[in-house]
Amino acid sequence: VSKTGSIPNLKLPSISLKNLQMEKLKFTGADLILKIKLDNPNIISFLLKNLDYQLSVAGTQWVKGSTSKTMSINAKDESIIDVPISLNFLNMGQSFYHILKGDQTLNYNLNGNAKLGSSLTIMDDFNIPFNQTAETKILK
């Protein structure tokens, strides 16, 4: 028995912070949407099954959490997952209120782990660790 064919050369999808979008700014806190971009450069689709994340800004942890929102990441495409977060300035210090109110860029670190499945039956679910350090502005 023989079989000929090809196996696609797969690359890991990339996970990064697209931006932070401010929903509501209050005196004691803020409600934001953490927009996380999942970029799939492959010719097969993936399915996001779980995302554990931690966002630190200026060396201080702002939020840590997990989402099990299932999402398809189509072949040669990108998807955005919206993660609502709430910040409490009393726990974080007044300096963060001034950062959010101003037009400054934020130095951040987004890291975590994503559990993905694929459209290939021969491929089991797998985990992708991610770690991104960069800067962004908060969209108002």
Side-chain angles (χ1 to χ4, degrees):
V1 176
S2 69
K3 174 73 176 163
T4 59
S6 63
I7 298 174
N9 185 13
L10 298 177
K11 297 177 182 173
L12 289 177
S14 65
I15 301 169
S16 60
L17 178 66
K18 180 171 179 161
N19 61 45
L20 283 168
Q21 181 178 337
M22 184 162 331
E23 292 290 299
K24 190 175 192 180
L25 180 62
K26 303 172 277 190
F27 182 70
T28 60
D31 296 329
L32 306 170
I33 302 292
L34 182 65
K35 293 187 173 278
I36 299 176
K37 181 172 81 167
L38 302 116
D39 187 24
N40 181 10
N42 298 290
I43 60 172
I44 65 168
S45 296
F46 289 103
L47 186 64
L48 175 68
K49 295 186 173 185
N50 187 50
L51 181 70
D52 297 319
Y53 58 89
Q54 177 179 319
L55 176 67
S56 298
V57 176
T60 302
Q61 180 178 305
W62 274 24
V63 67
K64 179 179 184 176
S66 181
T67 180
S68 56
K69 179 180 177 183
T70 302
M71 169 183 262
S72 179
I73 311 167
N74 296 326
K76 301 271 185 192
D77 200 5
E78 68 180 41
S79 295
I80 305 294
I81 184 167
D82 290 346
V83 179
I85 61 173
S86 292
L87 303 177
N88 182 330
F89 299 140
L90 298 175
N91 294 339
M92 301 171 71
Q94 285 290 348
S95 61
F96 291 100
Y97 174 79
H98 297 295
I99 290 172
L100 292 174
K101 192 168 168 77
D103 290 327
Q104 301 174 6
T105 59
L106 303 175
N107 294 321
Y108 70 89
N109 175 262
L110 176 69
N111 63 63
N113 189 59
K115 181 177 182 181
L116 298 178
S118 79
S119 57
L120 292 178
T121 55
I122 61 170
M123 191 178 216
D124 290 334
D125 291 352
F126 59 98
N127 291 311
I128 299 176
F130 59 93
N131 188 1
Q132 177 193 22
T133 299
E135 63 180 38
T136 190
K137 285 191 171 195
I138 293 181
L139 302 177
K140 298 178 184 176

